[in-house]
Amino acid sequence: QVQLVESGGGLVQPGGSLRLSCAASGIIVSVYAVGWYRQAPGKQRELVARIISGSTIIYASSAKGRFTISRDNAKNTLYLQMNSLKPEDTALYYCNFQTLTANYWGQGTQVTVSS
């Protein structure tokens, strides 16, 4: 059974940094893409950053220059380094592993940016 567990969220002041982690367990075959998404209260879930086919990286315009997505294949872990955080980054952050036949989601980790 595949399980994705996010960690690293919390309360941070504007301008601060957080590093989110997503540990994957179970057998995930033929992963096509991995990524981070977020959902703020009253808003739809949106893409933050994504790695496609192991090499193509896509960032949302709001994340470009501030966030960095990376993956440690040996540890089966996905990361999101978030710098220069803004109050509008406040949301529940989810990791996602996508194969050709399945889509896996974690339970989310809360990020709150506030002074």
Side-chain angles (χ1 to χ4, degrees), residues 14-33:
S17 298
L18 284 174
R19 188 194 194 202
L20 306 184
S21 299
C22 172
S25 61
I27 299 174
I28 308 178
V29 179
S30 300
V31 176
Y32 167 71

Side-chain angles (χ1 to χ4, degrees), residues 8-77:
L11 173 64
V12 64
Q13 291 187 344
S17 298
L18 284 174
R19 188 194 194 202
L20 306 184
S21 299
C22 172
S25 61
I27 299 174
I28 308 178
V29 179
S30 300
V31 176
Y32 167 71
V34 294
W36 288 95
Y37 293 74
R38 67 186 183 186
Q39 187 168 17
K43 294 187 177 181
Q44 289 188 331
R45 190 175 299 188
E46 63 178 8
L47 172 70
V48 177
R50 197 174 186 216
I51 303 174
I52 301 173
S53 299
S55 58
T56 300
I57 297 179
I58 297 173
Y59 290 100
S61 57
S62 58
K64 281 182 183 178
R66 299 189 300 128
F67 295 1
T68 303
I69 187 172
S70 61
R71 182 180 181 186
D72 186 331
N73 290 327
K75 296 182 178 179
N76 226 8
T77 301

Side-chain angles (χ1 to χ4, degrees), residues 2-9 19-25 28 33-37 69-73 75-81 93-98 104-109:
V2 174
Q3 189 175 18
L4 304 180
V5 179
E6 300 98 335
S7 61
R19 188 194 194 202
L20 306 184
S21 299
C22 172
S25 61
I28 308 178
V34 294
W36 288 95
Y37 293 74
I69 187 172
S70 61
R71 182 180 181 186
D72 186 331
N73 290 327
K75 296 182 178 179
N76 226 8
T77 301
L78 183 67
Y79 302 98
L80 184 68
Q81 177 67 42
Y93 283 70
Y94 299 90
C95 69
N96 168 261
F97 277 51
Q98 183 181 356
Y104 303 100
W105 294 92
Q107 83 289 347
T109 184

